[in-house]
Amino acid sequence: MDAQGRGRADDIDPADQWVLNPSTGEYELRLTPSAPQSAVPGPRRATPANAGAGRGRSAAPEREREQERETHGVPGTPGQVPPPRRRRGVPEEPLPGRRRSRAPEKKKSKAKKVLLWTGGTMAFVMVAAAAGGYFYLKHLEGNVQTTDVGTAGKSGFSKDEAFNILIIGTDKRTGAGNEKYGDAGSVGHADTTILLHVSKDRTNATALSIPRDLIVDVPDCPTKLADGTEKIIAGTQSVRFNTSLGQGGRDPGCTMRTVKEVTGISPDHFMMADFNAVKTLTTAVGGVEVCVTKAVNDKESKLKLPAGKSTVEGEQALAFVRTRHSFGNQGDLDRIKVQQQFLSSLMRKMSSSDTLTDPAKLLKLAEAATSALTVDTGLGKVSTLKDVALELKKVPTKNITFLTVPVVDNPAEKVRATVVVNQTTGPEVFNAIANDVSFTAVKQQKAKEAAAVAARLKGTKSAASDVRVRILNGGAVSGSAQAVLNYLQNDEGVTKSENAGNASATLAKTTLEYAPAQADQARRLAAIMGLSGSAMKPGESVTNSQGLPTMTLTLGKDFKEAGVSLTAPAKAPSVDGQSTADKVKCAS
C-alpha cells in the first residue's frame, strides 16, 4: 500500500512524486501537494508496483493499475495526486481526465476583441485588394483590342533583348467628337508612323519617324480575316507609305512588312492608336507642355496658341499634332517635327514624379492607354504591356533620339508632293538601328568593349586557300549557306569550305567560331565576309565532314546576301533635325 493510501502525506515514497502528464506524454515531478506542477520533464522512476514486483508479487497487473491511477487520479484511491493549491487571480485548471466545468467563462477583454476584429478586417481587406487588383487587370485587358499579324510580328516579349515597336497613328474618324478630323471616307491609313528601337542594354532608344508621303513598295500581305481565314492582299509598287494600312483591307501587319521592306529592320510588335488616344492620354496626365516661336491661330485645325510655352490637352493637343499650316513649309516633314516635340514632352510628363506618385493620375493613364490602343496578340496582355513600359522607363530621356527617315524629293514628280529614301544617308541610319548603335553618347563601357572586339581583327591573316570553314544557316533566308559556299569557293578562293546545312538554333547576327590556333584563318574570313570583331567567337575546335579541324560560320538574320559586308557601324551617322527627348524645341 502506498503512502498516500495510508493518508500520511509526510511519508510519501519519492517514486510516487513522478506522475504522467497526459497532455505531454511525459512524467513530471510533483514535490509537494501544494506546489504547482513542474513543466520540466524527467526520467521515469520506479513505482511501488515495480517495488512490489521485487518482493515476489506479480508486477504486470499491478503496473497497469498503477498507470491507470496515475493517469486518471481517481479521488480516494491510491495514486491520486492532490491538485495544486490555486493562487489568487489564476483560473482553476481541471484535473487530468476531467472535463472543465460548464461555468460561464470570463469575456475577452475589449483590447483583445479590437485586435481580433482589426486582424480579421485587415486580412479581408488584403484578400479583397488582391482579388480586386486581379479583376481590375482583367478589366484593363478587356480595354485593349488585338490584331493577329501572324509571322509579321513576334509571339512574345523578351526583357533581355533589343526590341522594335511600330507605333501607328491612324486618321480613322471613329469615336465621339472625331467626325471633323481626318478624311471623310478614310479606312484608317498610317497617318503617323514611328519605329521605336530600344537597345539591348537599355542605355538608349531611337524613334524613327516614317513620312506618310514616302514612296515605297508595299509587299504581298497575308491577312487574317474576322472569320479566321487568311487572305493574301496583293502588294503595290511606288505608292505612298500611308496606304500600307487600311487600303484594300490591309492590317497593321502589312505596315510592319512594308517597314521591313524599306528599312531592313523587322518590327517585333505594333501599337496603333486613333485620334482619341491623344485626347485621353494628355487629359489623363493633366496636359503636356509645348512651345511655338510665334503665335498660332489656325482656322482649319482650330489651334490657337500664344508665342512661347503652353500646356495643351484634349482637343487642343490633337489640334497641335494635326496642324499642317502653322509651321515650316506646311508639309508633312515639318508636321513630323512638331509631333516629335509633342511626344518628347508627353514622355517627360508620363515619367515625371508628379505623375508616377499620383494614384489617381496613374489609374486615369492606365484606363486611357488601354482603351486607346490596338496591339498585336504578342502584346495583348496588360502584364506584357507593363513589362514593355518598365523596360522603356529604364532608358534615360537624354538618350532617346527622335529622327526622321532621310529623304529627298521624288524625282518622278514635277510638283513636290512625295519623297523617296535618300540612298546615301538612309541605309547608314537603318544599319545603325539594326545593329543596336546609339545616336547619343552612352556609357564608356561600350567603347571599351568595342575596342576589345576590334582587336580580334588585328594580326596576321592566312591565305584564303588555307581557310577551312563549314557554313550553317542560322536564320538567313533559305539557300543562303549554299550561296555563301559558291561565293567563297568561286570568287574568294576559299576552297576548303562546305555547306553543313541548318544550325540547331536561330541567331539574330552572323557569328564565326574558331579555336585559338585558327585565329589567322578567322581574320582572313572576317575580312572576306565583312565581319566585325564582335561576330568572332573564340572557342574550341570542331571537325568537318572529313574529320579535319575547321571553323564554323553561322549565318544569322542579319545576313543579306553573299558579298555584302556584315560589319556593324562603330558610330551612328549624324542626321539633320535629330533631337532628344530631354530637350524642348520650339516649333517654328
Side-chain angles (χ1 to χ4, degrees):
M1 193 172 187
D2 57 23
Q4 289 179 335
R6 294 192 299 271
R8 297 195 307 269
D10 57 342
D11 191 23
I12 298 175
D13 187 330
D16 290 339
Q17 305 295 74
W18 291 95
V19 183
L20 180 69
N21 185 336
S23 300
T24 64
E26 301 285 351
Y27 281 87
E28 300 175 356
L29 178 64
R30 291 183 181 176
L31 297 177
T32 66
S34 61
Q37 180 174 320
S38 171
V40 181
R44 181 172 180 176
R45 300 281 298 275
T47 64
N50 295 340
R55 292 192 295 269
R57 293 161 54 187
S58 175
E62 183 62 22
R63 184 180 299 113
E64 291 176 0
R65 287 192 295 272
E66 182 65 19
Q67 287 177 350
E68 179 71 11
R69 285 194 298 270
E70 289 175 351
T71 301
H72 299 291
V74 180
T77 60
Q80 178 184 5
V81 179
R85 182 177 298 168
R86 181 167 62 88
R87 289 174 294 176
R88 290 183 180 180
V90 178
E92 185 176 357
E93 293 292 332
L95 291 172
R98 283 193 174 185
R99 294 182 179 179
R100 185 184 295 271
S101 67
R102 295 183 177 272
E105 295 182 4
K106 196 173 183 179
K107 293 184 179 180
K108 291 184 176 69
S109 71
K110 186 176 181 181
K112 286 184 177 179
K113 274 189 174 182
V114 170
L115 285 174
L116 285 173
W117 275 105
T118 304
T121 304
M122 286 302 295
F124 175 78
V125 169
M126 289 173 68
V127 171
Y134 170 80
F135 287 116
Y136 185 67
L137 285 178
K138 285 298 178 184
H139 159 71
L140 291 178
E141 215 159 273
N143 290 345
V144 182
Q145 298 183 51
T146 60
T147 297
D148 188 350
V149 296
T151 57
K154 286 188 175 181
S155 58
F157 173 74
S158 173
K159 297 180 182 179
D160 302 319
E161 298 293 334
F163 61 90
N164 303 309
I165 295 181
L166 192 65
I167 301 170
I168 307 171
T170 74
D171 58 3
K172 202 169 185 179
R173 293 169 41 152
T174 54
N178 293 328
E179 299 83 4
K180 56 183 175 293
Y181 299 115
D183 299 327
S186 176
V187 292
H189 291 123
D191 190 57
T192 300
T193 307
I194 296 174
L195 178 62
L196 177 64
H197 170 81
V198 181
S199 70
K200 182 177 180 178
D201 60 7
R202 308 299 188 252
T203 61
N204 65 94
T206 304
L208 179 68
S209 293
I210 303 174
R212 54 167 289 168
D213 296 327
L214 179 69
I215 296 299
V216 299
D217 292 338
V218 179
D220 292 346
C221 180
T223 305
K224 287 198 174 183
L225 304 179
D227 60 2
T229 59
E230 187 174 272
K231 174 185 177 183
I232 296 181
I233 300 175
T236 50
Q237 285 71 48
S238 299
V239 294
R240 278 179 166 86
F241 174 83
N242 69 336
T243 61
S244 64
L245 178 68
Q247 200 82 1
R250 290 176 178 140
D251 67 5
C254 298
T255 308
M256 295 170 76
R257 289 182 169 90
T258 304
V259 168
K260 182 179 179 181
E261 186 82 10
V262 174
T263 65
I265 303 168
S266 297
D268 301 314
H269 304 282
F270 84 87
M271 293 181 181
M272 184 170 67
D274 57 17
F275 296 136
N276 280 333
V278 175
K279 294 192 288 186
T280 56
L281 285 174
T282 54
T283 301
V285 297
V288 298
E289 187 179 89
V290 296
C291 182
V292 294
T293 56
K294 60 181 180 180
V296 175
N297 188 3
D298 186 351
K299 294 180 181 179
E300 290 196 20
S301 68
K302 306 295 190 293
L303 178 65
K304 190 173 182 179
L305 292 175
K309 295 179 180 180
S310 300
T311 298
V312 296
E313 64 177 273
E315 294 284 348
Q316 196 178 30
L318 181 59
F320 182 80
V321 298
R322 283 192 51 76
T323 185
R324 284 172 178 248
H325 304 287
S326 302
F327 309 110
N329 60 9
Q330 303 184 11
D332 188 52
L333 296 178
D334 287 298
R335 187 181 68 146
I336 285 175
K337 294 177 183 177
V338 173
Q339 291 172 346
Q340 290 173 349
Q341 179 205 142
F342 175 83
L343 288 174
S344 296
S345 183
L346 180 59
M347 282 184 176
R348 291 193 299 273
K349 189 61 179 286
M350 290 174 68
S351 61
S352 65
S353 58
D354 66 330
T355 298
L356 296 177
T357 58
D358 188 330
K361 279 187 180 180
L362 286 176
L363 286 176
K364 286 182 181 178
L365 192 56
E367 289 284 354
T370 53
S371 298
L373 289 177
T374 299
V375 301
D376 59 282
T377 51
L379 294 182
K381 292 185 177 181
V382 168
S383 58
T384 307
L385 289 173
K386 177 204 70 175
D387 289 342
V388 172
L390 290 176
E391 292 304 302
L392 183 56
K393 187 176 180 295
K394 295 177 182 178
V395 183
T397 54
K398 67 178 182 179
N399 289 338
I400 300 177
T401 304
F402 285 90
L403 63 155
T404 305
V405 171
V407 295
V408 294
D409 292 336
N410 184 5
E413 288 184 343
K414 292 182 179 180
V415 179
R416 189 169 75 172
T418 59
V419 292
V420 295
V421 173
N422 184 330
Q423 292 303 322
T424 301
T425 55
E428 293 180 351
V429 171
F430 305 151
N431 196 24
I433 295 173
N435 286 284
D436 208 19
V437 179
S438 175
F439 283 79
T440 58
V442 293
K443 295 178 181 178
Q444 291 300 314
Q445 182 62 28
K446 273 198 164 185
K448 294 179 181 178
E449 292 173 357
V453 297
R456 297 172 187 166
L457 297 171
K458 296 179 180 179
T460 59
K461 300 179 180 68
S462 66
S465 58
D466 292 332
V467 173
R468 186 178 287 109
V469 62
R470 62 186 192 127
I471 307 160
L472 296 172
N473 191 331
V477 296
S478 180
S480 294
Q482 186 60 42
V484 170
L485 179 67
N486 295 337
Y487 166 72
L488 291 177
Q489 291 186 344
N490 299 331
D491 297 349
E492 298 294 340
V494 184
T495 55
K496 296 176 183 177
S497 51
E498 63 178 36
N499 182 352
N502 292 326
S504 58
T506 300
L507 300 181
K509 296 183 179 181
T510 299
T511 61
L512 174 61
E513 298 180 58
Y514 62 97
Q518 299 166 330
D520 290 0
Q521 297 180 46
R523 285 191 281 268
R524 172 57 64 191
L525 188 60
I528 293 172
M529 294 293 298
L531 294 173
S532 65
S534 61
M536 301 170 69
K537 307 294 180 184
E540 297 181 359
S541 179
V542 296
T543 56
N544 61 12
S545 59
Q546 298 175 339
L548 298 173
T550 184
M551 299 184 296
T552 301
L553 176 66
T554 305
L555 306 177
K557 290 183 177 181
D558 63 336
F559 176 79
K560 298 178 178 61
E561 59 180 288
V564 176
S565 175
L566 287 163
T567 301
K571 183 180 178 182
S574 178
V575 181
D576 290 340
Q578 73 181 57
S579 61
T580 52
D582 63 320
K583 296 177 181 177
V584 178
K585 279 195 172 184
C586 293
S588 58

